[in-house]
Amino acid sequence: MNEKIQYDREKEPITKGKLILKLLPFTRSIAERMSMRLPANVDVDDLINAGIIGLIDAIEKFDPSKEIKFKTYAEFRIRGAILDELRSLDWLPRSLRQKTSQVEETYYKLEQELGRPASDQEMAEALELSIEEFYEILSQSRGAILFSLDDLGDNPDNKTKNLLSLIADSEDKSPLFSIKLKELKRVVGDGINRLPEKEKLVISLYYYEELTMKEIGKVLDITESRVSQIHTKAIILLGARLKKLFSE
């Protein structure tokens, strides 16, 4: 832990031990933020411990010659380690995973047919549900969407493609890979821009302004649970588009 590493080109090298201590609050904040979308029986301390393992892994594997900031790379690793921990706990019922996948596929199908994101009523009708039943599925799916933007489907070798590891680990310098990454950024940006105004605002306040669901509810004068539903809907839409991109 006494070995010094150059984690920032503009700063002096720092020992691994000091860097871990420096980024512990950052790791904790990621774990706590992710835990807000999980059932109460998931222990946040377990997520923090997994995040620390991801942080150490980031320190060991970071390549300062790559065009990526250490803190950005570390966040990929921390989130990835926490998601791996959640997968190992297998806390998400298979039936809920299937429902979330069905909602995701239906969103994408309707968007292709309509040329715009489907309304809640259109989604409910397509799924043969009442609007209340549809909202209940969105509420139940808030934990499942942690994986929606991370697992991008299976490749021909039956291995799950992982967005975080794809960005953080790939050493592929081919023109095709560069095109894929540019397309990824375009799809995410375009996807956010095409969201209905309320969904777009929730995404902006949650991810860019870093407000909590409760704080966003006060800003928009809606309940915290409704904010969660809107957030879930937006992430499922983006996840569907990304999976289509990486399945090509």
Side-chain angles (χ1 to χ4, degrees):
M1 286 292 180
N2 291 324
E3 178 187 350
K4 291 188 176 183
I5 64 170
Q6 185 72 42
Y7 79 98
D8 190 319
R9 295 177 183 176
E10 299 178 0
K11 296 182 180 180
E12 291 296 318
I14 187 173
T15 64
K16 293 180 180 180
K18 287 184 177 179
L19 185 55
I20 290 172
L21 291 175
K22 180 182 178 69
L23 292 178
L24 276 180
F26 177 65
T27 304
R28 176 181 289 274
S29 69
I30 293 173
E32 290 177 344
R33 197 167 176 81
M34 292 175 72
S35 73
M36 292 178 184
R37 286 174 268 165
L38 299 172
N41 64 311
V42 177
D43 192 339
V44 68
D45 287 337
D46 290 339
L47 303 188
I48 293 171
N49 290 335
I52 292 171
I53 292 173
L55 172 61
I56 294 172
D57 193 43
I59 292 172
E60 295 292 336
K61 296 181 178 178
F62 178 64
D63 181 356
S65 67
K66 287 189 175 182
E67 294 298 319
I68 185 172
K69 293 182 179 179
F70 175 77
K71 197 169 184 179
T72 302
Y73 178 79
E75 183 173 356
F76 288 146
R77 282 290 182 182
I78 292 165
R79 282 181 55 84
I82 292 173
L83 288 173
D84 285 343
E85 173 67 14
L86 288 171
R87 290 188 187 94
S88 71
L89 295 174
D90 197 26
W91 57 272
L92 195 64
R94 181 178 296 273
S95 60
L96 181 54
R97 293 181 188 180
Q98 291 173 340
K99 286 180 181 178
T100 304
S101 294
Q102 185 180 11
V103 170
E104 191 175 76
E105 291 168 5
T106 304
Y107 262 131
Y108 187 82
K109 180 182 177 182
L110 287 180
E111 185 176 23
Q112 296 304 299
E113 293 176 355
L114 300 171
R116 57 170 174 78
S119 68
D120 293 349
Q121 188 61 49
E122 288 167 335
M123 280 294 299
E125 291 175 2
L127 293 166
E128 298 182 348
L129 300 170
S130 68
I131 193 69
E132 291 77 15
E133 290 171 330
F134 174 62
Y135 284 153
E136 180 60 25
I137 289 178
L138 288 183
S139 296
Q140 293 173 353
S141 298
R142 65 176 188 167
I145 64 167
L146 282 171
F147 304 102
S148 186
L149 293 183
D150 190 50
D151 290 338
L152 300 176
D154 297 327
N155 62 22
D157 297 322
N158 294 320
K159 293 181 180 179
T160 299
K161 287 181 282 190
N162 178 284
L163 177 59
L164 297 179
S165 61
L166 174 70
I167 295 173
D169 292 341
S170 180
E171 296 179 356
D172 190 346
K173 303 296 184 181
S174 68
L176 179 60
F177 179 76
S178 297
I179 291 171
K180 279 286 188 181
L181 280 185
K182 287 181 181 178
E183 181 67 0
L184 169 62
K185 293 177 182 178
R186 186 195 66 77
V187 169
V188 172
D190 180 61
I192 292 174
N193 287 332
R194 291 182 64 188
L195 290 173
E197 284 304 313
K198 187 166 285 187
E199 279 81 351
K200 190 189 303 183
L201 183 55
V202 166
I203 291 296
S204 176
L205 292 174
Y206 188 75
Y207 289 101
Y208 294 97
E209 301 300 328
E210 297 191 347
L211 298 185
T212 65
M213 298 283 183
K214 186 175 183 178
E215 290 169 337
I216 295 172
K218 290 181 179 179
V219 171
L220 301 181
D221 195 25
I222 56 179
T223 64
E224 183 177 350
S225 63
R226 182 61 185 137
V227 173
S228 179
Q229 290 168 357
I230 293 170
H231 173 265
T232 299
K233 175 183 175 182
I235 296 301
I236 288 176
L237 270 169
L238 291 175
R241 290 172 184 151
L242 289 177
K243 285 181 181 179
K244 290 296 180 182
L245 169 65
F246 279 87
S247 65
E248 296 174 354

